[in-house]
Amino acid sequence: MIFQKQRKNKLKRLFTVFCITLCLCSCKGEEDKKDSIIKKYSNVSPVQWSEDIDGVIKTLPTDERVLAITLDACGSKNDSLDEDLIEFLVQNKIPATFFINNRWIKKFPEKFEKLYKNPLFEIENHGLLHAPASVNGRSIYNISGTKNSAELYDEVVLNADYIEKITGRRPKFFRSGTAYYDEYAVRQIYDMGFVPVGFNILGDAGATYNERQIKNALLQSKNGDIIICHANHPEKATGRGLKTVIPLLQKRGFRFVRLDEYLK
């Protein structure tokens, strides 16, 4: 009996040592990967700077009559969640993909829980600080991009880690703050294991469009288009515009899908 107890305790200790060793090896592997990626992009000189860089996914790879609504939640000082829009999507069983910034998640944990627990919705990565994706600190709209490869790594990976910790699912796709990238940032994002996603239909222009402009923008949609709008400004016209135009698009034969249904 004593021998069995000693043997059991020894096995427990061995298992604990094994788990710690496995964890340390995994952590070291991640650090080595990070160091390698940062070194690879530390001395590059990007030329391109826009929303339309080769490698950024703007449409779904299909000719089917489908559209992907993507909704950003950016984490600005005065944002919230358009609850009426969310209720409309749920009631009408409209799938959507949410690109969510770390600041927004921390600011609205209960609202975030409401989104990620709904199987209609897909949660993806909108960065740690909502920075444009740059390897040399370029700016757009008076918003500074990530200053270097190391900052870009943290902008992408730290929010992915945070989302995975809460939801149990690691994001696959990344959209930078402002959806701007340089060409080396795009390559680095792929090297980190994520797919950079943009858009083909500018749905609300950062929640600045009025209802008529939103309607006109979305009625230009073609098969497989990715639409960008915002879910974090209930005081703006985005929700009203989407509630108006989605039934019109459905009458035209469009079906709405999540990104992960078509982008593998």
Side-chain angles (χ1 to χ4, degrees):
M1 189 74 178
I2 294 174
F3 174 76
Q4 288 180 339
K5 187 175 181 180
Q6 290 175 335
R7 185 170 181 272
K8 189 175 181 181
N9 289 338
K10 183 178 180 180
L11 288 172
K12 282 184 177 180
R13 288 194 298 271
L14 287 172
F15 182 72
T16 301
V17 170
F18 170 77
C19 289
I20 292 172
T21 303
L22 189 64
C23 181
L24 289 173
C25 289
S26 176
C27 291
K28 188 176 186 306
E30 286 299 315
E31 285 300 316
D32 288 346
K33 177 183 176 183
K34 178 178 180 179
D35 291 344
S36 174
I37 289 173
I38 290 172
K39 182 178 179 181
K40 180 177 179 180
Y41 294 98
S42 61
N43 294 308
V44 296
S45 299
V47 175
Q48 301 173 28
W49 181 239
S50 77
E51 301 161 322
D52 189 16
I53 301 289
D54 285 348
V56 176
I57 304 299
K58 299 177 64 179
T59 60
L60 303 176
T62 181
D63 291 325
E64 294 179 43
R65 205 150 178 78
V66 297
L67 299 172
I69 295 176
T70 65
L71 296 165
D72 289 0
C74 306
S76 60
K77 292 181 180 179
N78 60 346
D79 62 359
S80 183
L81 180 66
D82 193 331
E83 304 278 4
D84 289 342
L85 172 59
I86 302 306
E87 186 62 27
F88 170 83
L89 297 175
V90 172
Q91 287 183 353
N92 291 276
K93 299 180 180 179
I94 306 293
T97 298
F98 288 80
F99 282 91
I100 303 189
N101 182 260
N102 186 267
R103 299 175 303 180
W104 192 93
I105 298 171
K106 290 180 176 177
K107 192 175 178 182
F108 303 110
E110 293 179 358
K111 297 180 189 296
F112 181 62
E113 183 178 21
K114 178 179 180 180
L115 294 177
Y116 81 75
K117 286 190 173 179
N118 192 314
L120 270 177
F121 303 143
E122 169 190 1
I123 304 300
E124 296 299 343
N125 185 357
H126 199 30
L128 184 70
L129 299 174
H130 195 255
S134 169
V135 295
N136 63 352
R138 300 251 334 235
S139 299
I140 186 70
Y141 310 129
N142 294 319
I143 301 174
S144 297
T146 46
K147 291 183 177 61
N148 49 46
S149 175
E151 278 200 9
L152 177 59
Y153 192 99
D154 288 345
E155 175 73 12
V156 179
V157 172
L158 293 184
N159 193 41
D161 290 345
Y162 195 77
I163 290 173
E164 183 178 22
K165 180 180 178 181
I166 295 173
T167 68
R169 175 190 173 275
R170 191 163 185 80
K172 305 173 184 177
F173 309 119
F174 173 77
R175 175 178 286 154
S176 68
T178 75
Y180 260 70
Y181 306 82
D182 68 48
E183 69 270 31
Y184 287 104
V186 169
R187 296 177 196 177
Q188 179 175 328
I189 291 163
Y190 276 109
D191 282 352
M192 290 188 289
F194 301 90
V195 176
V197 173
F199 57 90
N200 203 41
I201 297 293
L202 182 62
D204 67 355
T208 64
Y209 278 176
N210 60 37
E211 189 174 338
R212 176 183 57 80
Q213 290 172 312
I214 293 166
K215 175 183 173 183
N216 290 342
L218 267 69
L219 287 178
Q220 304 304 310
S221 299
K222 304 178 295 298
N223 295 358
D225 276 348
I226 295 174
I227 298 163
I228 184 174
C229 285
H230 289 74
N232 59 321
H233 285 291
E235 78 282 6
K236 300 294 183 69
T238 300
R240 297 192 303 275
L242 287 175
K243 287 188 283 185
T244 297
V245 74
I246 284 174
L248 299 178
L249 291 168
Q250 289 176 315
K251 287 180 181 179
R252 292 186 176 187
F254 284 107
R255 178 171 61 89
F256 296 95
V257 298
R258 301 171 9 155
L259 292 183
D260 60 359
E261 295 179 61
Y262 282 82
L263 299 177
K264 303 300 182 183

